[in-house]
Amino acid sequence: LGGVRHNGFIPWDDDVDIGMMRKDYHKLNKVLPKEVKELNLTDIVDIQYRYRKYQRKEVVNGFLQVFVRDLPDRTVFAGVDVFPFDFLVSYDENEIGDLYEKAKVGFYKKLTEGTDAKQLYMGLDEEEVMKEYFDTLNLSYEPTKYLVHGVEGSFGYGGTNLLELFVMNYDDVFPLGKVQYCNHVFPIQNNPDAYLSNVYGSSYMHIPKSIRSHGRVDNF
């Protein structure tokens, strides 16, 4: 949205949202801690996972978050949220919402068996966590005709405070296009209008009347 509407950062926002397919998401999560350590960035770069609750009690981890902090008080200046996407083999439009919620419940229930919230999937084996989730939603690591947001993100079906779930066509995402973002060019969905219209509605190019600013903008 920032790239398409503002050609850069959304003025009242302070983080960058990155989406990637599940296979690449797993690779990044393995490489990132090593890179931060090798580049001596552990004092200013925090690797965390957004907390999620299962049955309003147990705290488990969700999507990857990377924060840039200032010493010595650890004030957060900026952040990067990384969301996984999954290839969907096939789906029934009348059943996908219920299956998605079932997969989400099973996914977080499984994570309660883990003990380390600082590790991907609470430190559990990724294949073990993914099997039930992939089977329930009919997902694949390899390209298919459809894509769906991973259950770690902010999408849901009929829930409160969630963006409405929708299924993406492969051709609307791949091959990736390009967008001007400040002084850089970054990859973007092949059909960003289709994606943004689904997430924010057809008027996504208009500045919203109600704006919620992230507090980190003031810190920066």
Side-chain angles (χ1 to χ4, degrees):
L1 180 60
V4 171
R5 192 172 67 191
H6 303 274
N7 296 126
F9 286 96
I10 297 173
W12 54 89
D13 204 351
D14 62 6
D15 66 354
V16 175
D17 297 328
I18 297 177
M20 61 179 62
M21 300 313 301
R22 181 76 59 174
K23 185 184 287 188
D24 297 316
Y25 184 72
H26 286 172
K27 291 179 181 178
L28 176 66
N29 276 275
K30 290 177 180 177
V31 170
L32 188 60
K34 299 176 184 177
E35 291 287 305
V36 170
K37 187 175 181 179
E38 289 176 6
L39 294 172
N40 296 315
L41 296 174
T42 53
D43 286 341
I44 59 172
V45 175
D46 257 357
I47 300 172
Q48 297 184 4
Y49 294 90
R50 172 64 64 88
Y51 283 155
R52 296 289 192 228
K53 288 187 178 181
Y54 173 73
Q55 293 185 344
R56 300 183 180 181
K57 294 185 298 182
E58 297 91 347
V59 177
V60 294
N61 63 32
F63 59 86
L64 172 67
Q65 294 185 295
V66 183
F67 294 113
V68 177
R69 298 181 183 270
D70 180 43
L71 295 176
D73 60 4
R74 308 293 282 169
T75 298
V76 176
F77 278 150
V80 178
D81 294 340
V82 185
F83 298 95
F85 285 68
D86 294 304
F87 287 115
L88 180 65
V89 177
S90 62
Y91 72 102
D92 184 324
E93 189 173 341
N94 297 317
E95 297 180 357
I96 183 64
D98 291 332
L99 283 177
Y100 189 85
E101 292 305 304
K102 180 181 177 182
K104 181 183 291 187
V105 170
F107 178 82
Y108 286 126
K109 180 180 179 182
K110 182 65 179 178
L111 293 191
T112 61
E113 299 175 11
T115 58
D116 191 348
K118 293 184 178 181
Q119 298 295 323
L120 180 66
Y121 306 137
M122 300 292 289
L124 298 173
D125 179 73
E126 66 185 41
E127 290 187 13
E128 183 182 353
V129 174
M130 288 292 101
K131 186 180 186 316
E132 180 183 349
Y133 169 50
F134 267 46
D135 289 346
T136 301
L137 264 179
N138 197 19
L139 303 175
S140 169
Y141 283 109
E142 302 306 319
T144 63
K145 291 175 61 177
Y146 309 106
L147 290 82
V148 68
H149 289 88
V151 293
E152 298 96 318
S154 301
F155 285 79
Y157 179 66
T160 58
N161 200 31
L162 289 172
L163 295 168
E164 191 65 27
L165 171 70
F166 67 98
V167 175
M168 293 157 271
N169 293 318
Y170 179 93
D171 293 341
D172 282 335
V173 181
F174 298 106
L176 295 175
K178 296 179 180 179
V179 66
Q180 183 73 34
Y181 200 98
C182 298
N183 296 322
H184 302 277
V185 175
F186 290 113
I188 195 174
Q189 295 92 336
N190 184 40
N191 184 357
D193 177 68
Y195 181 82
L196 292 169
S197 294
N198 271 301
V199 177
Y200 301 108
S202 59
S203 61
Y204 64 84
M205 289 299 290
H206 297 156
I207 302 298
K209 293 180 180 179
S210 177
I211 292 175
R212 180 179 65 87
S213 177
H214 284 194
R216 297 191 294 262
V217 170
D218 295 332
N219 294 338
F220 190 74

